[in-house]
Amino acid sequence: MMDTRLTDADISLDQITALNAEAWALRYTDIRRAIELVNGASARFDRDSITDPVILQAVAGLQLNLGRFHSQVGEYVIAIEMLQIALDLYKKLAGQRDVILTHAEIGRVHLQLSNYVQALEHTLIGFEQSGTEIDQELEAVLLYNLGALYIQREDYS
């Protein structure tokens, strides 16, 4: 069978961005359609052969949203798989912020699964990688996850 997955030369950034935006807009009204859109687009890519960092960034964004969407509907194992793919793609790029945000998302899913060790690990990795240059949004996300983790463990100190 012939492999028909796309490389960065086969699809434009505008197409990926438009599809991702459409799926994001559907996330509260038709989450299954949002998953279908992003999953269909993501499956078309051979992620290992993408060389353009802009396209790689956009494809990583598809994976991040796919993980978020699966988490939203309680499909946590699939969510972690998709978020891990996003994390691996973001690590190929120089964008530390996206790596930290993805660690926070993975930590949040592990928290939903009561996997407290993994939730804490990903949250702390996010803090560690942020160093002293963390922006307020990322800090808020990480602190929220950390607080939720301690509440779930009934450690209110």
Side-chain angles (χ1 to χ4, degrees):
M1 176 178 248
M2 193 164 130
D3 188 359
T4 59
R5 292 182 297 169
L6 300 177
T7 64
D8 51 333
D10 299 319
I11 193 166
S12 75
L13 177 61
D14 290 340
Q15 291 170 312
I16 298 169
T17 302
L19 189 137
N20 214 9
E22 181 182 352
W24 189 254
L26 289 171
R27 73 189 186 281
Y28 294 127
T29 57
D30 192 354
I31 188 66
R32 288 294 170 194
R33 178 70 180 135
I35 289 171
E36 182 182 304
L37 284 172
V38 176
N39 197 39
S42 179
R44 295 172 57 196
F45 284 96
D46 180 3
R47 291 181 292 271
D48 295 330
S49 65
I50 297 173
T51 57
D52 183 339
V54 175
I55 298 292
L56 188 62
Q57 177 82 24
V59 172
L62 287 173
Q63 291 301 136
L64 177 64
N65 280 343
L66 191 54
R68 288 171 168 165
F69 298 160
H70 279 291
S71 178
Q72 182 177 327
V73 295
E75 297 168 344
Y76 300 121
V77 174
I78 296 170
I80 290 173
E81 290 173 15
M82 298 302 107
L83 291 169
Q84 188 60 54
I85 291 169
L87 181 63
D88 292 343
L89 294 174
Y90 282 134
K91 284 180 178 179
K92 292 180 180 181
L93 302 165
Q96 195 67 5
R97 184 182 196 288
D98 294 320
V99 170
I100 295 166
L101 181 61
T102 307
H103 274 294
E105 291 289 340
I106 294 170
R108 193 177 333 206
V109 175
H110 278 295
L111 183 60
Q112 292 296 318
L113 292 169
S114 299
N115 294 336
Y116 301 129
V117 172
Q118 291 90 348
L120 182 60
E121 178 181 332
H122 282 281
T123 301
L124 293 178
I125 288 171
F127 274 119
E128 180 180 295
Q129 291 187 352
S130 66
T132 59
E133 298 291 323
I134 191 168
D135 67 46
Q136 287 183 336
E137 179 187 1
L138 281 179
E139 184 177 26
V141 168
L142 292 168
L143 288 172
Y144 176 85
N145 287 357
L146 195 56
L149 176 63
Y150 282 107
I151 288 170
Q152 289 292 320
R153 294 185 64 218
E154 297 182 2
D155 181 355
Y156 305 111
S157 61

